[in-house]
Amino acid sequence: MNVQKKIEKWYQDRRFVRYVNERICEELRHVSKQPDPKFKELDEAFDRDDRYIVPLVIYLTYRLQLAKLQKNAKQRRRGIWWVFVQVIILGLYTEISTKELEKLRMKLLEAIMPMLHDEYIRLSNKKK
């Protein structure tokens, strides 16, 4: 079963959806305290000129790929979360949507949702 179908199936579980929302809120608070000078530079340029959306998305895609290549699982998860939160924040204050940004959003969902589902299952099993 491909990741998209698994995600659709997981979304039918209300407890899982609640867990996802709680984790995202937790990560929004955590990741916003982790500055990245290159991202900040591109983000400020984007604030002045919408054309900077493309280099900003390219940088976020690069950071996602770096995170996925991490051998250390904790560092891999932290990196993926960092990109995920930046894309959420970017989506909150912009209406610009590009093919690159949509591709990045899909890649992020395919990376983050299995991580969240594994966490959810582990926690559920501990409670039993």
Side-chain angles (χ1 to χ4, degrees), residues 99-116:
K99 288 180 188 177
E100 291 86 3
L101 184 56
E102 288 308 312
K103 274 177 43 179
L104 177 58
R105 284 183 180 143
M106 292 307 295
K107 286 180 185 178
L108 276 167
L109 281 177
E110 290 176 358
I112 209 106
M113 293 311 288
M115 279 177 18
L116 284 168

Side-chain angles (χ1 to χ4, degrees), residues 20-50:
V20 167
N21 289 330
E22 289 170 3
R23 282 291 287 125
I24 289 172
C25 288
E26 181 182 316
E27 290 298 331
L28 278 167
R29 286 188 297 276
H30 177 76
V31 169
S32 62
K33 298 174 188 170
Q34 299 174 346
D36 176 320
K38 186 64 177 170
F39 177 78
K40 185 176 179 184
E41 177 186 339
L42 288 167
D43 191 42
E44 288 172 358
F46 173 65
D47 287 344
R48 292 187 304 275
D49 186 342
D50 289 350

Side-chain angles (χ1 to χ4, degrees), residues 5-114:
K5 295 235 186 265
K6 287 180 182 179
I7 292 170
E8 288 174 19
K9 183 180 176 213
W10 297 335
Y11 272 156
Q12 294 172 7
D13 179 351
R14 289 181 187 207
R15 288 180 295 206
F16 173 67
V17 172
R18 189 174 327 117
Y19 176 77
V20 167
N21 289 330
E22 289 170 3
R23 282 291 287 125
I24 289 172
C25 288
E26 181 182 316
E27 290 298 331
L28 278 167
R29 286 188 297 276
H30 177 76
V31 169
S32 62
K33 298 174 188 170
Q34 299 174 346
D36 176 320
K38 186 64 177 170
F39 177 78
K40 185 176 179 184
E41 177 186 339
L42 288 167
D43 191 42
E44 288 172 358
F46 173 65
D47 287 344
R48 292 187 304 275
D49 186 342
D50 289 350
R51 293 177 293 180
Y52 276 89
I53 188 70
V54 173
L56 189 58
V57 171
I58 289 169
Y59 181 70
L60 289 169
T61 302
Y62 160 76
R63 285 288 306 261
L64 176 61
Q65 293 303 64
L66 275 181
K68 286 179 170 182
L69 293 172
Q70 289 293 319
K71 291 182 181 180
N72 180 296
K74 186 176 181 179
Q75 289 177 345
R76 184 173 47 252
R77 287 191 300 272
R78 289 270 34 102
I80 291 170
W81 271 116
W82 185 88
V83 175
F84 186 78
V85 167
Q86 301 311 324
V87 169
I88 287 174
I89 293 169
L90 185 62
L92 291 175
Y93 70 87
T94 183
E95 294 179 12
I96 295 174
S97 183
T98 64
K99 288 180 188 177
E100 291 86 3
L101 184 56
E102 288 308 312
K103 274 177 43 179
L104 177 58
R105 284 183 180 143
M106 292 307 295
K107 286 180 185 178
L108 276 167
L109 281 177
E110 290 176 358
I112 209 106
M113 293 311 288

